[in-house]
């Protein structure tokens, strides 16, 4: 039941991951913006059933211990993360696996499930959105300045990144995700949702301060048979 921590080369970068458990059902945990396996999934790595599951938590490129490279946000950063995530699991020799993603990791998981349907067993997302509205951009700009964040949320990230990288990367994220709102429909991955064929469970916090509930309802409506 110990947690191993390692790096593996995928798509030209060295991705850091943690792995635990020996169950036949492989699960990848996908963190949110600025997150890592350790900051976002400590309790899951510790407490998920290790007889049922083999659990992998990854740090997307430029996050956590998957630095270098520095994190950037080209127009296709979600697709790039989805490909990295799937290729990481294949490099670790998992033939089929489930995805548990939250926030940006939820978006990444939706794209991966749509684009690689034969590889994904089941999908759980929470705090995810398939598009960006002008209202969303207003909310994102409210977190642009990390000095205004609560100590509780800020502290683990400052400890991991140092203040400068943390502050700079948060600003770059706000700019990167806001760019989707410039498209007519604010689309991130709306057109891909009907391609998701695996059993899908959508969770949403009623008081989520960053992602209005309409996003979760949209995702549910457009993934056939989702709950």
């Amino acid at each position: 039941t110990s947690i191993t921590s390692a790096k593996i080369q995928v798509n030209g970068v060295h991705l850091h991951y943690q792995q635990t458990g020996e169950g036949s059902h492989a699960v990848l945990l996908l963190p949110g913006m600025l997150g890592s396996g350790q900051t976002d999934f400590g309790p899951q790595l510790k407490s998920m059933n290790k007889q049922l599951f083999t659990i992998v938590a990854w740090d997307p490129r430029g996050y956590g211990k998957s630095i270098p490279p520095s994190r950037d946000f080209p127009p296709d950063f979600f697709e790039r993360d989805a490909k990295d995530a799937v290729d990481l699991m294949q490099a670790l020799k998992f033939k089929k696996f489930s995805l548990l993603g939250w926030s940006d990791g939820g978006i990444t998981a939706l794209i991966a499930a749509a684009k690689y349907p034969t590889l994904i067993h089941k999908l759980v997302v929470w705090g995810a959105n398939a598009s960006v509205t002008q209202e969303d951009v207003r909310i994102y700009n409210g977190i642009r300045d990390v000095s205004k964040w609560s100590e509780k949320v800020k502290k683990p990230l400052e400890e991991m990144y140092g203040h400068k990288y943390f502050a700079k990367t948060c600003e770059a994220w706000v700019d990167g995700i806001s760019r989707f709102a410039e498209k007519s429909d604010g689309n991130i991955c709306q057109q891909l949702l009907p391609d998701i064929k695996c059993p899908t469970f959508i969770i949403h916090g009623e008081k989520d301060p960053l992602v209005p509930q309409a996003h979760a309802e949209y995702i549910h409506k457009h993934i056939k048979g989702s709950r």
Side-chain angles (χ1 to χ4, degrees):
T1 59
S2 67
I3 299 171
T4 61
S5 178
K7 279 188 163 186
I8 189 166
Q9 187 163 350
V10 177
N11 299 326
V13 294
H14 290 90
L15 294 175
H16 176 261
Y17 67 95
Q18 291 164 286
Q19 185 173 330
T20 186
E22 61 261 306
S24 58
H25 188 159
V27 176
L28 177 65
L29 309 175
L30 299 96
M33 173 263 276
L34 281 162
S36 66
Q38 196 50 55
T39 54
D40 289 17
F41 295 114
Q44 287 79 8
L45 285 163
K46 197 168 128 223
S47 307
M48 274 178 77
N49 185 321
K50 300 192 180 183
Q51 277 66 56
L52 280 181
F53 301 110
T54 296
I55 302 139
V56 179
W58 81 309
D59 298 358
R61 62 170 76 197
Y63 284 163
K65 292 179 179 165
S66 295
I67 303 172
S70 290
R71 181 71 183 185
D72 62 347
F73 300 93
D76 67 342
F77 74 90
F78 283 116
E79 280 83 4
R80 182 180 68 181
D81 282 350
K83 183 168 171 28
D84 281 349
V86 167
D87 291 351
L88 166 75
M89 291 300 276
Q90 293 200 291
L92 296 175
K93 304 284 184 270
F94 295 108
K95 288 187 171 57
K96 201 160 183 169
F97 45 92
S98 292
L99 302 172
L100 271 68
W102 93 276
S103 184
D104 275 13
I107 300 171
T108 301
L110 291 168
I111 293 169
K115 286 194 161 182
Y116 310 96
T118 58
L119 302 176
I120 309 307
H121 183 44
K122 293 183 175 181
L123 174 65
V124 182
V125 297
W126 60 106
N129 47 301
S131 65
V132 176
T133 66
Q134 290 302 329
E135 168 65 5
D136 294 330
V137 172
R138 192 186 63 74
I139 296 169
Y140 300 149
N141 276 305
I143 66 157
R144 176 186 288 275
D145 179 358
V146 298
S147 68
K148 295 181 179 153
W149 288 28
S150 77
E151 268 313 303
K152 181 178 168 232
V153 182
K154 191 164 60 174
K155 195 164 176 251
L157 292 167
E158 284 199 323
E159 280 170 4
M160 175 179 290
Y161 294 118
H163 178 75
K164 194 177 163 197
Y165 186 91
F166 168 45
K168 186 183 76 162
T169 308
C170 182
E171 285 191 11
W173 177 83
V174 171
D175 292 338
I177 196 149
S178 297
R179 246 178 258 124
F180 291 101
E182 292 162 13
K183 301 182 189 177
S184 58
D185 50 0
N187 177 47
I188 300 175
C189 62
Q190 290 171 315
Q191 78 292 357
L192 292 174
L193 299 180
D195 297 343
I196 296 172
K197 303 293 183 241
C198 63
T200 300
F201 190 46
I202 299 148
I203 304 167
H204 203 76
E206 201 170 68
K207 297 177 181 172
D208 188 318
L210 211 56
V211 182
Q213 193 175 319
H215 285 297
E217 288 162 4
Y218 181 94
I219 293 168
H220 172 43
K221 190 176 158 193
H222 290 87
I223 299 178
K224 200 172 181 239
S226 64
R227 291 191 294 144

